Amino acid sequence: MQPVDILMLKAMHPGVMSAVEARFTLHRLDLAPDPEAFFQEIGPRIRGLATGAQAPVDRALIARLPTLEIVASLGVGYDTIDTGAARERGIVVTHTPDVLTDEVADLALGLLLATVRQIPQADRYLRAGHWPRQTYPLTPTLRGRTVGILGLGRIGRAIATRLEGFGVAIAYHGRRRQPGVAYDYHPTLLGLAEAVNVLLVVAPGGPETTGLVDAAVLEALGPQGLVVNVARGSIIDEAALIQALQAGTILGAGLDVFAREPHVPPELIAMEHVVLLPHVGSASVHTRAAMGKLVVDNLTAWFDGRGPLTPVPETPWTTRP
């Protein structure tokens, strides 16, 4: 069988790279001294592409790979891939759902608790030697709060299940009411924000959700409101969030994602009532290994003629072209 050429735009999990190299012929764009010469020589041979959210796959890149058949993405979100351009060419796009659900849900709960109980701030207070002179100030609490979830998909449901154990009221907003779900449903995000004082953002990224959490939504949360985002930075109007935090329109925020990663606005970094993480929602050794295996399994299944394992809805697969 003729070796299959696979392109990797940037370095990925070592397990992914070694597994791809063992099964296919791997090419690394990030190691190419002359990218233009690379595309001219190697581009026409590339049949598969392995990537992650930090390496966008746009229409121009797809056009440079005339024999591309599959884009295997590491992550549940795939808003950095032009699925429309892929669909036009008959290219299937896959992602890695389910294997990261529990990890991200765990992190979301941890980030919520860290934000409301000021865990990182208390840690810094102790390390700075302040405790012998004065006890740490009392913090806000999760008690008596109502948590609103924006996006009750796989991860949103897993977060809600965990929240039930904390005895808080739960509500949600999405494109439609979900059958068999007992949580209060709000047909508008503004309505959800008015009914809750914690907003957990778990919706998919992309043009439909860009700036969805705006100044009006933040104001509706109220002065005791908290925002926790483990989805995509683009979903929150970052400038409006900064203004709301500076003005005391809301109480605080816990953010694992940002609009221009890895660049974080200095205004956010300067605030003590904000907890910031470097997009580590699924970043455990166990879960990243499982995600990487699914990337490789999708490539292997495709080129073995079995079809993709986890194609995205925008590029449905019926028969191999």
Side-chain angles (χ1 to χ4, degrees), residues 111-162:
L111 185 52
L112 171 58
L113 290 173
T115 303
V116 70
R117 292 301 313 276
Q118 301 177 1
I119 294 174
Q121 296 92 324
D123 176 86
R124 292 194 293 269
Y125 186 89
L126 181 150
R127 291 174 187 274
H130 298 316
W131 191 14
R133 294 189 294 274
Q134 185 176 355
T135 57
Y136 189 79
L138 299 180
T139 72
T141 181
L142 197 60
R143 302 301 97 224
R145 287 183 176 272
T146 301
V147 179
I149 300 176
L150 171 56
L152 200 67
R154 295 179 178 90
I155 296 172
R157 284 174 178 255
I159 292 171
T161 299
R162 286 157 172 77

Side-chain angles (χ1 to χ4, degrees), residues 13-307:
H13 187 282
V16 176
M17 293 191 290
S18 61
V20 171
E21 285 182 311
R23 174 68 173 75
F24 307 101
T25 301
L26 176 62
H27 303 276
R28 294 267 303 277
L29 179 61
D30 58 326
L31 299 181
D34 185 344
E36 183 60 34
F38 174 91
F39 276 114
Q40 290 182 2
E41 178 186 355
I42 306 297
R45 305 206 315 256
I46 297 298
R47 295 174 60 195
L49 193 155
T51 189
Q54 301 303 320
V57 179
D58 58 17
R59 182 176 293 270
L61 174 62
I62 291 173
R64 305 208 71 172
L65 305 172
T67 61
L68 184 64
E69 300 173 26
I70 181 172
V71 177
S73 179
L74 187 144
V76 67
Y78 49 91
D79 50 295
T80 56
I81 300 173
D82 190 333
T83 54
R87 184 174 58 249
E88 291 171 12
R89 282 265 309 275
I91 298 166
V92 70
V93 176
T94 67
H95 62 155
T96 59
D98 298 321
V99 293
L100 51 69
T101 296
D102 287 331
E103 202 73 74
V104 177
D106 291 347
L107 190 282
L109 263 293
L111 185 52
L112 171 58
L113 290 173
T115 303
V116 70
R117 292 301 313 276
Q118 301 177 1
I119 294 174
Q121 296 92 324
D123 176 86
R124 292 194 293 269
Y125 186 89
L126 181 150
R127 291 174 187 274
H130 298 316
W131 191 14
R133 294 189 294 274
Q134 185 176 355
T135 57
Y136 189 79
L138 299 180
T139 72
T141 181
L142 197 60
R143 302 301 97 224
R145 287 183 176 272
T146 301
V147 179
I149 300 176
L150 171 56
L152 200 67
R154 295 179 178 90
I155 296 172
R157 284 174 178 255
I159 292 171
T161 299
R162 286 157 172 77
L163 282 170
E164 289 177 3
F166 286 86
V168 297
I170 303 168
Y172 73 101
H173 166 69
R175 286 175 291 183
R176 62 187 69 87
R177 182 190 298 270
Q178 297 198 19
V181 173
Y183 312 129
D184 288 342
Y185 172 71
H186 294 266
T188 68
L189 177 56
L190 186 60
L192 176 68
E194 291 171 342
V196 305
N197 47 27
V198 176
L199 181 63
L200 267 165
V201 181
V202 208
E208 292 183 355
T209 58
T210 297
L212 192 60
V213 179
D214 57 14
V217 170
L218 296 169
E219 185 174 1
L221 285 173
Q224 293 301 309
L226 299 170
V227 176
V228 174
N229 189 3
V230 294
R232 284 288 187 264
S234 60
I235 300 172
I236 298 179
D237 181 334
E238 208 160 68
L241 176 63
I242 291 170
Q243 185 175 4
L245 288 164
Q246 290 174 335
T249 304
I250 61 173
L251 183 63
L255 307 172
D256 185 44
V257 290
F258 305 89
R260 296 180 58 251
E261 296 178 6
H263 305 289
V264 179
E267 296 92 340
L268 289 175
I269 293 174
M271 294 180 191
E272 270 296 302
H273 54 311
V274 180
V275 178
L276 308 174
L277 301 179
H279 201 156
V280 294
S282 64
S284 73
V285 173
H286 167 86
T287 296
R288 284 295 170 85
M291 293 166 65
K293 181 178 184 302
L294 187 49
V295 168
V296 178
D297 287 349
N298 267 298
L299 290 170
T300 301
W302 177 259
F303 289 109
D304 281 349
R306 293 181 280 121

